Amino acid sequence: MPLKSFDEYVALAEVAHGHMCAGQILGLRLAIHGVTLLGIDDPAGQDRKRLVSFVEIDRCATDAVPIVTGCRLGKRALKFRDFGKVAATFCDLQSDRAVRVAAKESSKKRAQELHPEIQDKNAQQMQAYREMPDEELFDVQWVRVKLGPEDMPGYKAPRVVCAECGEGVSFKREIIRDGKPLCRSCAGERYYEAL
Ligand SMILES: [Zn+2]
Ligand SMILES: [Zn+2]
């Protein structure tokens, strides 16, 4: 199924995200712009194995990206880099091209100029982000993204057991230290503290 209409995406995003908001509209526009620049007509269907997306913020806009691209964390096709930016990079594995699309800092101010009559900020931005041309909303940069085999959606590797905690580690995410396999947590990247 080729790209859907914008309103169809809005309906899907609202269900997935739990509400409709300016961030969703921006995220949908951003993702549609990205796949269109890459010339991918059917990202969530026929072309679903072509695309890997990187998102750079853990806010509303990010939830809209899988709606358009079909890229999901659980398929290793969605990568999160916590940079605090409304931006995403779309990688076409088939043509080996990638494009980074970033929301312009000026977009909020532009929304104000376009719809001073709408008091509510979120409503104002939702309306404006639907109407503004891509060039006003986004900066676009063609980039190269180095994806290793372990970054690819279908990558498999033997499961190893961490020499320290005994938990299994898949897909070569282990770290070898003094000849022994360690999970990333035991190797020093632990984000939690045992109580
Ligand atoms: Zn939201
Ligand atoms: Zn461990």
Side-chain angles (χ1 to χ4, degrees):
M1 228 188 343
L3 281 181
K4 301 178 200 303
S5 76
F6 193 72
D7 285 326
E8 283 177 277
Y9 281 130
V10 169
L12 290 170
E14 185 164 12
V15 171
H17 181 62
H19 64 243
M20 189 33 64
C21 60
Q24 292 285 296
I25 301 290
L26 196 59
L28 289 172
R29 289 286 308 268
L30 188 144
I32 292 167
H33 197 39
V35 297
T36 304
L37 285 164
L38 287 171
I40 296 181
D41 302 321
D42 192 7
Q46 220 168 21
D47 297 323
R48 71 187 181 281
K49 296 203 167 147
R50 276 177 69 176
L51 199 59
V52 166
S53 303
F54 285 76
V55 291
E56 299 185 14
I57 197 163
D58 50 358
R59 289 289 292 146
C60 301
T62 282
D63 272 355
V65 171
I67 302 293
V68 175
T69 62
C71 294
R72 290 169 202 280
L73 192 62
K75 290 182 179 165
R76 203 180 293 128
L78 185 71
K79 320 278 189 190
F80 175 46
R81 297 291 183 270
D82 195 358
F83 292 177
K85 294 180 178 183
V86 180
T89 297
F90 305 93
C91 311
D92 181 358
L93 303 177
Q94 192 174 300
S95 66
D96 198 21
R97 295 189 308 159
V99 66
R100 182 173 179 271
V101 184
K104 285 191 175 183
E105 200 50 34
S106 55
S107 57
K108 281 195 176 95
K109 199 168 155 269
R110 185 77 189 114
Q112 247 169 12
E113 291 166 5
L114 280 171
H115 289 290
E117 78 286 2
I118 307 177
Q119 297 298 310
D120 178 70
K121 277 265 139 56
N122 186 50
Q124 182 186 66
Q125 287 162 15
M126 277 206 292
Q127 189 57 37
Y129 295 167
R130 276 174 173 264
E131 300 165 353
M132 284 163 65
D134 290 317
E135 306 72 50
E136 249 176 32
L137 279 174
F138 304 118
D139 286 318
V140 168
Q141 199 180 10
W142 289 93
V143 296
R144 174 158 294 120
V145 179
K146 284 204 180 111
L147 289 170
E150 68 282 3
D151 301 316
M152 294 300 176
Y155 178 79
K156 288 198 173 66
R159 190 173 167 84
V160 305
V161 171
C162 174
E164 190 87 25
C165 69
E167 291 182 357
V169 179
S170 298
F171 310 122
K172 261 209 164 77
R173 267 44 174 183
E174 70 273 14
I175 286 165
I176 306 293
R177 194 169 289 163
D178 302 327
K180 280 188 278 181
L182 291 180
C183 72
R184 305 192 80 99
S185 195
C186 292
E189 294 180 34
R190 188 164 293 160
Y191 62 89
Y192 59 88
E193 238 176 277
L195 297 179

